[in-house]
Amino acid sequence: MSWLDDPLDDEDEPLFDESDVRVRPNPKANRPRTKRRPAHEDATIARVLGVDRGRYTVLAGEDTPEERQLTAVRARELRKMPIVTGDRARVVGDTSGEEGTLTRIVGIEERTSLLRRSADDTDQVERVIVANADQMLLVVAAADPEPRPRLVDRYLIAALDAGIRPLMVITKTDLADPGPFLTHFEGLDDLRVFTSARDETPVDEIGAALIGHSTVFVGHSGVGKSTLVNALVPTAGRATGHVNVVTGRGRHTSSSTVSLRYQGEGGSGWVIDTPGVRSFGLGHVDPANIIRAYRDLEPVAEQCPRGCTHLADAPDCALNEAVAEGALPASRVDSLQRLLATFKDRTDY
């Protein structure tokens, strides 16, 4: 018998619809995951003050009666983004600031500046130090430990490359005359310099320069940076150390970067204290920007032949000729040439 001879009519066939389909229940009783993320339009903007073992201390409601500190974690989608002191973070969740509460960072506002360094001059992997700073205060000792002009040059290049205004404090001037060291920077007219002795720290003068600014403090270990921070912000409680009499090196005392509010008679500002370093790589900096950081040398360098390396053996280099004629200090040109030499073998130069 053929199926064509089936005596059943179409009207006798059973009817089926979607309601007859059995769907396996969701054992976790949750909704399917989606790649669409919420906009978080109601997020609160907060300043990142510091980070400790994956927990961020942020300040919400800055300069308002509702100002409060929160503890936050980063959202999963930000796991590859560096969040650093000075960032303006977008936070959601419990933003009351009450003890035991935890909020979540879901975004970072656009940064106005970013201070970076690398492990060495050949390493182009950058380490972000601080965000949104508009000033850098270089702390240098006149002695114990001896000042390092070329390390200071590196700080200045990193600051100018990031669009940050540099300032300098010379500490321990009761131990040595800072004059010979300062001749190295005679051409930098826009570099403001403060001097400090053991019992004569110009706290009010330095503090006045901090009002209305976010200033990152940097310096070699043992130069008195933490001591200066404690003088400016008495509640800071930053650890201080001493210089090893054998090696002449300072001991790292500050182990983390933290933002502290400076409160002066004319207003307030932010002091961002960073750990002391003994090296400051510029692998992330375009070598072409190095000469621009030496503003006193740049006009002379513009007179060099096209493609001039500005090194000591460069033919017809206007910088070398100016040194020979006594028109430029040899120490400044030597500092520039040493930095340029570190980039000499880089393929992107």
Side-chain angles (χ1 to χ4, degrees):
M1 181 176 178
S2 171
W3 64 271
L4 293 174
D5 300 325
D6 192 344
L8 292 176
D9 293 312
D10 292 341
E11 296 180 355
D12 297 328
E13 293 181 1
L15 299 178
F16 298 95
D17 58 26
E18 290 82 355
S19 63
D20 295 305
V21 180
R22 299 185 60 185
V23 179
R24 178 179 297 178
N26 187 343
K28 296 184 179 180
N30 54 13
R31 292 183 294 177
R33 296 187 62 183
T34 175
K35 292 184 178 181
R36 297 181 61 184
R37 301 295 182 186
H40 297 300
E41 295 178 353
D42 60 340
T44 300
I45 305 299
R47 176 190 293 269
V48 177
L49 301 180
V51 58
D52 181 23
R53 291 170 291 185
R55 293 291 188 269
Y56 297 85
T57 300
V58 300
L59 184 68
E62 183 177 340
D63 296 328
T64 70
E66 291 77 30
E67 182 177 287
R68 61 213 181 271
Q69 285 193 16
L70 315 174
T71 300
V73 295
R74 72 167 68 203
R76 180 179 298 177
E77 56 267 28
L78 301 181
R79 62 185 179 277
K80 295 184 179 180
M81 173 183 290
I83 301 176
V84 298
T85 301
D87 266 325
R88 306 286 292 176
R90 301 175 65 240
V91 298
V92 298
D94 190 338
T95 59
S96 65
E98 296 180 0
E99 185 177 357
T101 59
L102 190 66
T103 187
R104 184 162 54 100
I105 299 176
V106 295
I108 298 296
E109 296 289 277
E110 183 177 357
R111 293 157 168 165
T112 58
S113 68
L114 199 61
L115 181 63
R116 303 163 293 169
R117 76 180 182 97
S118 58
D120 54 53
D121 292 331
T122 61
D123 184 4
Q124 297 187 43
V125 178
E126 64 187 39
R127 276 74 169 171
V128 180
I129 300 175
V130 66
N132 299 321
D134 62 331
Q135 290 189 150
M136 171 194 284
L137 185 71
L138 293 138
V139 184
V140 185
D144 191 34
E146 292 296 319
R148 298 171 57 186
R150 293 183 181 89
L151 178 61
V152 174
D153 283 339
R154 291 171 175 272
Y155 280 126
L156 290 174
I157 289 173
L160 295 172
D161 183 68
I164 298 174
R165 178 193 178 200
L167 309 170
M168 185 186 298
V169 175
I170 311 295
T171 64
K172 306 183 184 181
T173 55
D174 53 310
L175 301 180
D177 179 13
F181 170 75
L182 289 176
T183 59
H184 184 75
F185 307 98
E186 287 179 346
L188 300 180
D189 297 331
D190 57 347
L191 177 63
R192 186 177 180 184
V193 179
F194 305 90
T195 57
S196 172
R198 182 182 298 273
D199 298 322
E200 298 178 3
T201 303
V203 175
D204 294 337
E205 186 180 359
I206 297 173
L210 306 179
I211 293 175
H213 297 281
S214 181
T215 308
V216 53
F217 282 46
V218 298
H220 187 281
S221 304
V223 298
K225 179 169 58 62
S226 296
T227 300
L228 178 60
V229 170
N230 288 336
L232 291 165
V233 186
T235 59
R238 301 296 274 176
T240 58
H242 63 278
V243 178
N244 190 302
V245 296
V246 176
T247 64
R249 293 182 174 182
R251 178 175 177 268
H252 294 302
T253 52
S254 300
S255 58
S256 61
T257 300
V258 61
S259 287
L260 305 164
R261 178 179 271 134
Y262 168 77
Q263 193 68 50
E265 293 184 359
S268 64
W270 287 99
V271 170
I272 306 175
D273 189 22
T274 63
V277 299
R278 299 191 181 107
S279 64
F280 199 94
L282 299 174
H284 63 284
V285 176
D286 183 350
N289 292 336
I290 293 181
I291 184 64
R292 299 190 186 102
Y294 286 74
R295 298 182 182 180
D296 55 325
L297 304 183
E298 186 179 11
V300 180
E302 291 176 351
Q303 305 173 23
C304 291
R306 182 184 299 273
C308 181
T309 63
H310 308 301
L311 298 177
D313 57 352
D316 301 321
C317 177
L319 292 175
N320 293 330
E321 293 176 355
V323 170
E325 296 170 358
L328 285 178
S331 60
R332 288 292 291 161
V333 176
D334 178 65
S335 175
L336 169 65
Q337 291 174 341
R338 285 177 177 269
L339 283 177
L340 290 175
T342 63
F343 296 91
K344 183 178 180 181
D345 299 325
R346 276 179 47 173
T347 58
D348 59 342
Y349 184 75

